[in-house]
Amino acid sequence: MKTPALIGICAVLCALASVSPAGFCQTYTTHFAGAENPLSEGGRWSNKGLDWTNIRKSGGIAFSTQSGTETGKFKFADSYAVLSGFPPDQEAWGKAYIARPRSAYHQELEILLRFTSSAHKTTGYECFARCVDGPSSYVEIVRWDGPLGKFTYLARMRGAGYGLKSGDTLKASIVGNAITVSINGVQKAQVTDDTFKTGNPGIGEFLACDGGQGIGTNADFGFASFTARGIGKGDQRGSLSHRGEEGGCGLSCETARAPCRRLQGHATLHHGLPIFVSISSRVSDASRRRR
């Protein structure tokens, strides 16, 4: 039985979370309804980098606008969109949509963490997996270091079990300096990096049409849903499982549904797991990646 005081506290906390205080528990969930190019959803998403391509949405899918035929450093002009107002510790996950998986070209889905975006400069952590599940699959964590084509590998995991199938959930989190990536709740990579302390979660997608194959397949892969959640200080110790039908802050907001309705989500965190791989190999030009 809930007392009026408890109900009032629930309403206040959920309302606070919806306007994203630094560090309590902001959650944003979308199923990409409608059509937009670029992705905006009322101004919640942005890409201010200028040199990178945009995410668009149509038919319930958020997908890339990258042609896949770019050369030089522009080969790495991934499509991306970033949210705002999240605390430094954050997690995000999305449901993969992959209509025609092919190993002849490269399609990747990306969860972005602590991303910042300004003219000709983008920084943050990109956690991605190839849209093929087989021997040529991979999961990687890459640090974006500013200008287009400047990045650093942090983790590279390859082989069967490191790719995505349609319907899979790709998830990444950062708490302190620890970055963790999982597929369907199974950890695939973890690494530590102290470079970026702040930024916001988002989504990214990459298409490379090697040998002319895969041109025009942008709408064949993307995200069918996405959730990002800020992790408060109370969430940073040990292992936490968090579920909430309407209250993304772990509060039962049955009476205060109006302020809580936008805080839908489900999150599961696991900290203190062994580090699988840690590679720090700075790349000073655009001769990087993914193959």
Side-chain angles (χ1 to χ4, degrees), residues 14-160:
C14 287
L16 285 172
S18 70
V19 296
S20 52
F24 184 69
C25 179
Q26 180 182 6
T27 299
Y28 181 73
T29 292
T30 177
H31 295 276
F32 301 113
E36 288 182 320
N37 185 15
L39 177 67
S40 173
E41 297 189 324
R44 294 178 176 89
W45 298 93
S46 67
N47 174 345
K48 301 176 182 178
L50 301 182
D51 299 324
W52 293 265
T53 53
N54 291 311
I55 296 288
R56 64 179 297 184
K57 70 172 182 177
S58 180
I61 304 297
F63 55 91
S64 169
T65 60
Q66 187 179 18
S67 73
T69 61
E70 298 89 348
T71 59
K73 69 179 181 179
F74 294 100
K75 183 176 182 179
F76 308 113
D78 303 40
S79 298
Y80 75 82
V82 182
L83 295 168
S84 63
F86 280 76
D89 291 344
Q90 56 202 230
E91 63 178 355
W93 59 96
K95 183 178 180 180
Y97 166 80
I98 306 168
R100 283 174 280 275
R102 290 283 305 277
S103 60
Y105 44 89
H106 291 263
Q107 299 171 332
E108 299 168 2
L109 293 177
E110 310 164 359
I111 299 294
L112 311 178
L113 300 172
R114 289 188 188 167
F115 249 56
T116 64
S117 176
S118 60
H120 310 296
K121 181 180 180 181
T122 303
T123 62
Y125 299 102
E126 172 199 9
C127 307
F128 63 93
R130 191 177 185 187
C131 297
V132 169
D133 185 28
S136 62
S137 301
Y138 48 80
V139 168
E140 300 185 1
I141 303 173
V142 171
R143 189 181 69 224
W144 288 28
D145 293 320
L148 180 64
K150 302 289 185 179
F151 38 71
T152 302
Y153 285 113
L154 299 178
R156 304 182 73 183
M157 310 298 293
R158 294 178 176 266

Side-chain angles (χ1 to χ4, degrees), residues 9 30 50 69 123 136 171 184 194 196 201 230 241 244 252-253 282:
I9 291 171
T30 177
L50 301 182
T69 61
T123 62
S136 62
K171 179 179 178 181
N184 296 333
D194 293 299
F196 301 123
S241 290
S252 178
C253 298
R282 180 170 296 277

